[in-house]
Each structure stands twice: as structure tokens, then as C-alpha cells.
Amino acid sequence: MTHVDRRTALRWGAMLGAGALVTVTAACSSDPNSVADQARSGDRKGYVAGDGSIEALPVASRGEPITLEGTTLEGEPWSTSGRTGTVLVLNVWGSWCPPCIEETPALQKAWETVQAKGKKVEFIGLDKLEGPETGLAFLKANKVTFPSLAYDGGVPLLALQGKASATPTTLVLDAQHRIAARVSGPVTTSTLLGLIDDVLTGKA
């Protein structure tokens, strides 16, 4: 290969690398309808995802209850049926998504906190765009102890009323399983615990 050929190959390699980066960074898209009143800023290192905006809905503005069912990554059936009266935290994630990886320890810490305090709250993840074996391996490696539903072609996501277009997204459902709060982007432990407490006490 001549010197010119090598330079041409290097240029094409750089272009292909940049194209791959665009594909990865575009994988988590932002939600244009999110409320940014309480948006948190942070260096995402060029990664395009939800901006961390927080939306809390008063009782009168909540929509219809969410009915969600599916199979966990361990192969067990799971449903919102029979869980009325329990506040549910739904987290849409994927092991391929850097902001999801970033927020995993915060979610686990929030889960352990509500468990330790005996609050009537359950967490359920919704794995996205990957097989159950991949998702389960990620949960085990990161010592996540709350369950997640398998992607199943996106069927479980259809139940979220279009409110989880960013990845990650966390929804807090009230005791009637209506969407009471949403975080579009990675969530912190303190933010999530605050939203949960507001829903439990009726402040949100």
C-alpha cells in the first residue's frame, strides 16, 4: 500500500468511526415533550439522551391508570394487576445505554432505602432493545435486586402511554397506577426518593 493509500484508508477509518459514534449517541433520544422546569445540568460527554427534566403531575392532571404486564428477565410473569394501593417505580433502561449504566447504582440505592423503611413501593425495570440474557447478566453484574421485564419486541413499553421516549426514563405511578411523576434522563437517588415521598404523602 502506498503512502497516499494509507492516508486515504486512515481518513475513511476515521469517518466510519465517527459514523459509529453518531449511531451510538443517537440511540437514546430526548423527549421533546418533557418539562424542563427542574432540569438538571451535567456533562454528558456528547451523549444525546433525556436532559434529566422532572415533571410532577397533580392528582387532577393524571391520566388513566397504566396496565402493565410481561415476563421478567428471569422468566417469571409480572403484572400491575393485584398491586393497586402500591406506588410503582418504572425504569426504562438498556445495558447498551451509558446514562442507564450511570444511574443504576442510584436506582439500587433508592430501592434499598424504600425497602429498609418498609414503604409500600415496588420497583420494576423495563429492559429495552436487547435479549433477556444480556439484560439479566447486566443486572447480576451490578447487583440490582429489583426485577425487570424483558423487552419482548417492545410490547411492555406500549403500556407507558408514550411517556418514555427517552432512555432512560423513570416513571412514578401513584397507588392507582396513574403517572404522577417522570424523570426524562438519568435520575439521582435523592431526586427519586423525593418524588416517591411526594406521591406517598399526596404532595404530588
Side-chain angles (χ1 to χ4, degrees), residues 25-104:
T25 56
C28 295
S29 59
S30 62
D31 181 353
N33 299 316
S34 63
V35 174
D37 293 343
Q38 302 180 61
R40 292 179 287 106
S41 62
D43 182 9
R44 294 285 168 246
K45 295 181 170 45
Y47 193 86
V48 180
D51 58 8
S53 59
I54 301 166
E55 181 179 13
L57 297 174
V59 174
S61 299
R62 295 171 193 171
E64 293 297 314
I66 281 179
T67 300
L68 176 65
E69 61 182 8
T71 303
T72 68
L73 296 176
E74 293 85 358
E76 300 294 328
W78 190 96
S79 173
T80 52
S81 177
R83 288 179 163 85
T84 302
T86 299
V87 169
L88 299 178
V89 175
L90 313 182
N91 175 255
V92 178
W93 66 280
S95 67
W96 43 266
C97 175
C100 303
I101 298 170
E102 172 191 333
E103 74 168 359
T104 297

Side-chain angles (χ1 to χ4, degrees), residues 91-172:
N91 175 255
V92 178
W93 66 280
S95 67
W96 43 266
C97 175
C100 303
I101 298 170
E102 172 191 333
E103 74 168 359
T104 297
L107 288 164
Q108 177 62 23
K109 186 175 180 180
W111 169 235
E112 291 172 357
T113 300
V114 298
Q115 278 192 307
K117 294 184 177 180
K119 296 183 178 181
K120 201 170 184 181
V121 178
E122 289 189 39
F123 281 33
I124 183 74
L126 286 86
D127 194 8
K128 184 176 180 181
L129 295 176
E130 61 189 2
E133 298 85 1
T134 302
L136 186 58
F138 175 83
L139 295 186
K140 288 182 176 179
N142 288 275
K143 298 179 171 60
V144 176
T145 58
F146 59 88
S148 280
L149 297 183
Y151 181 54
D152 192 23
V155 173
L157 295 173
L158 295 176
L160 303 186
Q161 302 173 358
K163 299 299 185 181
S165 56
T167 307
T169 291
T170 299
L171 302 176
V172 182

Side-chain angles (χ1 to χ4, degrees), residues 7-25:
R7 286 192 304 173
T8 301
L10 287 172
R11 283 201 301 270
W12 275 107
M15 291 172 64
L16 289 172
L21 178 61
V22 169
T23 300
V24 171
T25 56

